Amino acid sequence: MSERETTRLVAWSRELRRVHDRLREALSVTRDSLADGAPGEAATRELLLYCHGFCAALDGHHRGEDRTLFPAIAAAHPELRPVLRSLEQDHSMIAHLLGGLQAAVERAAPPEELDRHLEGIAALMENHFRYEERQLLSVLEALALDAAPGEVLGPL
């Protein structure tokens, strides 16, 4: 295997960690916006922008994994199919929580309610990311996948 091929392969594990870190940061910024926001229309509008961006990024990340990454892993490592099914179930639960957050933001729910939505998403997301990294990073270091990072891990 050439140095270029090795670099490209190992980049998938680094890229997954990088995307997870960016999503963690986006959630942190969203939560900080809620905590620091002054009451009123301007704060609600700002939170809506943060939440929309975060929700779209997280949803895009999971759709990319479900559509491109997980099928490639399943083909190369059929023994990981139960892990991938579990991760896909997490994606579905997180999507449901994101829908609840978006609905709460759109109806200008009180900050305490919005924080509860964000706390639930944060807890599930962090657990999901840690499990995914424990199970898949070593696999990604050897996965031959010829695709654009945005297609595989979402448009971040």
Side-chain angles (χ1 to χ4, degrees):
M1 182 178 303
S2 74
E3 182 179 339
R4 181 176 183 271
E5 289 172 319
T6 301
T7 300
R8 181 182 60 81
L9 293 173
V10 173
W12 283 115
S13 64
R14 276 188 254 142
E15 187 69 18
L16 180 67
R17 276 188 243 146
R18 188 183 71 77
V19 167
H20 284 178
D21 288 344
R22 290 189 70 188
L23 287 165
R24 286 177 176 115
E25 179 61 26
L27 180 60
S28 177
V29 167
T30 300
R31 294 190 81 187
D32 289 348
S33 171
L34 178 62
D36 296 340
E41 188 178 320
T44 301
R45 193 170 43 249
E46 183 175 303
L47 184 60
L48 182 59
L49 289 173
Y50 279 124
C51 288
H52 177 72
F54 167 73
C55 292
L58 185 57
D59 186 60
H61 170 64
H62 289 160
R63 287 179 189 270
E65 286 181 334
D66 291 347
R67 182 181 53 246
T68 307
L69 183 62
F70 291 174
I73 292 171
H77 299 277
E79 73 280 6
L80 289 175
R81 286 190 175 139
V83 169
L84 299 172
R85 274 193 298 279
S86 176
L87 292 168
E88 288 171 342
Q89 288 173 340
D90 285 354
H91 291 174
S92 179
M93 286 189 293
I94 290 170
H96 176 74
L97 294 175
L98 291 174
L101 171 63
Q102 287 177 316
V105 169
E106 288 170 4
R107 66 177 164 73
E112 302 79 30
E113 180 183 342
L114 295 171
D115 190 55
R116 282 192 304 271
H117 283 283
L118 291 169
E119 181 64 30
I121 291 167
L124 184 53
M125 185 182 86
E126 189 58 38
N127 186 55
H128 171 80
F129 285 175
R130 287 181 181 176
Y131 178 70
E132 186 172 61
E133 290 171 3
R134 277 194 317 270
Q135 297 296 317
L136 301 183
L137 285 181
S138 62
V139 169
L140 291 175
E141 290 176 359
L143 184 68
L145 180 60
D146 188 26
E151 176 188 337
V152 177
L153 298 174
L156 281 178

